[in-house]
Amino acid sequence: MKAQVPISKKFTNLKDQIRDKAHSLALFHPPQNPHTQLSLSLSPLLTHTHFTFFPGKIFPFPPYNRHQPPCLTQTSSPNSPSNSIQQNYGANTSLLTDGSENPSNPNLGDLPESCVALVLSYMEPPEICKLARIDRTFRAASSADFIWISKLPSNYRHLVEKLLINGDEKLGKKEIFARLTQPTSFDAGRKEFWIDKVTGGVCVSVSSKALTITGIDDRRYWNRIPSDESRFGTVAYLRQIWWLEIDGDVEFPFPAGSYSLSFKLRLGKVMKRHGRQVCTTADVHGWDVKPVEFKLTTASGQQTVSKRLLETTGKWEYHRVGDFVVGESNTPTKVKFSLTQIDCTHTKGGLSIESK
């Protein structure tokens, strides 16, 4: 005789157990992503589907493949009472039924590793890493390749080549993701790239040393100041000048998508006084007379131009230059950008440039 056990009855409280366990470890805050909420409910398909189990027997499910996401194969309509589903979970059904009409209460230890991996695949990387600390099942599930390949940029292999990792197939996708989140230098150490730990988006930073700055070698106008505030260890500081012109470019294999480019600027200079860092604005002048011009162009013909006054003193600010779109991720995209104020009717000074 076979018994039908609704998955909703068997695992109704599993999502609450996961959340309660995570809360007890101070690891997790309920995500705002609606897809994550869906995964914690084990999805509507799973919740409202009946599984057919044979007491004391195990279905000949295919073995769990850590490189492929778990899948469900429906063998009849969801509304059919004889509906059964085969799942690529490799789960021992003895965990789900004790052969009686009163199934035992499931707990986190009963949840198959592949089911945990499916839930984790809907979460953001920081949440996955936190939940991996719950127990061995979560830790093993969090390393499934299919989870992390969905978090990696579409052209991650090109980025791995820049990291000089030989034979990336020997590395798990989780390890590749972890390495790519660490800043990696290129162009003789004057530029860095990394991927965002949450979104997986590619970020690039350009040192002030990689910029072409008019008058940079004349110390009457510019100085290079060592700074522990900069990821590159130095900032360019403008004392005073009539003609301000700063140009830069970057050529990089960006994945297809939309990107925003900004200059990181500050009106003022940091100095050490009595063992403390203080920002002096004694040299700041001329930025409220006429606006500076920001410009961005790409090899594909995209261009944006904007003008604005520099007003805030004493703190770093990101000044957005513009956006550009990458359609082809197999070839490097070249972007040129500039910051100018070439009205020679007045001087300006007191500007720090960290990077773009």
Side-chain angles (χ1 to χ4, degrees), residues 121-133:
S121 68
Y122 288 93
M123 296 183 175
E124 294 176 341
E127 295 170 347
I128 295 173
C129 294
K130 290 176 182 179
L131 288 172
R133 296 164 56 187

Side-chain angles (χ1 to χ4, degrees), residues 157 166 169 188 200 345:
R157 294 180 185 276
N166 296 321
E169 290 301 327
T345 60

Side-chain angles (χ1 to χ4, degrees), residues 10-250:
K10 282 305 211 174
F11 290 109
T12 296
N13 296 323
L14 276 177
K15 66 175 182 179
D16 295 327
Q17 291 183 40
I18 294 173
R19 183 176 278 107
D20 292 344
K21 181 66 174 178
H23 273 308
S24 68
L25 298 175
L27 297 177
F28 182 68
H29 294 286
Q32 299 301 316
N33 189 326
H35 297 294
T36 303
Q37 296 290 350
L38 180 67
S39 69
L40 288 176
S41 300
L42 300 182
S43 88
L45 174 63
L46 287 174
T47 304
H48 297 96
T49 300
H50 289 76
F51 285 78
T52 301
F53 297 108
F54 293 87
K57 295 184 179 180
I58 300 176
F59 278 113
F61 293 150
Y64 170 45
N65 186 345
R66 299 176 62 83
H67 302 284
Q68 297 291 336
C71 61
L72 299 176
T73 304
Q74 185 169 311
T75 58
S76 63
S77 66
N79 297 324
S80 171
S82 62
N83 175 56
S84 63
I85 286 184
Q86 284 189 335
Q87 48 178 343
N88 187 21
Y89 285 169
N92 187 328
T93 55
S94 63
L95 295 175
L96 307 178
T97 180
D98 56 6
S100 66
E101 296 297 327
N102 297 317
S104 58
N105 293 326
N107 53 49
L108 286 178
D110 297 331
L111 194 62
E113 179 185 321
S114 54
C115 187
V116 173
L118 183 61
V119 172
L120 295 181
S121 68
Y122 288 93
M123 296 183 175
E124 294 176 341
E127 295 170 347
I128 295 173
C129 294
K130 290 176 182 179
L131 288 172
R133 296 164 56 187
I134 289 179
D135 61 19
R136 292 181 179 179
T137 300
F138 276 76
R139 184 164 57 253
S142 70
S143 298
D145 278 349
F146 81 86
I147 294 177
W148 295 97
I149 198 167
S150 66
K151 315 297 182 187
L152 288 165
S154 58
N155 68 338
Y156 75 93
R157 294 180 185 276
H158 294 285
L159 304 183
V160 168
E161 290 175 3
K162 276 190 169 290
L163 275 174
L164 302 179
I165 300 176
N166 296 321
D168 66 283
E169 290 301 327
K170 297 179 182 178
L171 294 176
K173 298 301 184 288
K174 181 179 180 180
E175 175 64 18
I176 292 176
F177 184 91
R179 293 198 186 188
L180 289 177
T181 58
Q182 302 302 313
T184 301
S185 299
F186 66 102
D187 192 14
R190 302 184 305 168
K191 300 172 184 176
E192 289 184 346
F193 83 91
W194 66 96
I195 65 174
D196 187 87
K197 294 180 180 179
V198 176
T199 65
V202 172
C203 306
V204 175
S205 185
V206 179
S207 167
S208 60
K209 290 184 178 180
L211 303 176
T212 301
I213 303 176
T214 301
I216 188 65
D217 296 323
D218 192 329
R219 299 194 63 180
R220 293 176 300 171
Y221 306 124
W222 290 91
N223 295 126
R224 295 201 182 275
I225 303 175
S227 172
D228 55 10
E229 295 180 304
S230 170
R231 64 172 60 247
F232 298 100
T234 184
V235 300
Y237 179 69
L238 172 63
R239 299 179 64 189
Q240 178 174 288
I241 204 167
W242 291 85
W243 182 287
L244 175 67
E245 187 173 15
I246 303 170
D247 296 290
D249 65 79
V250 61

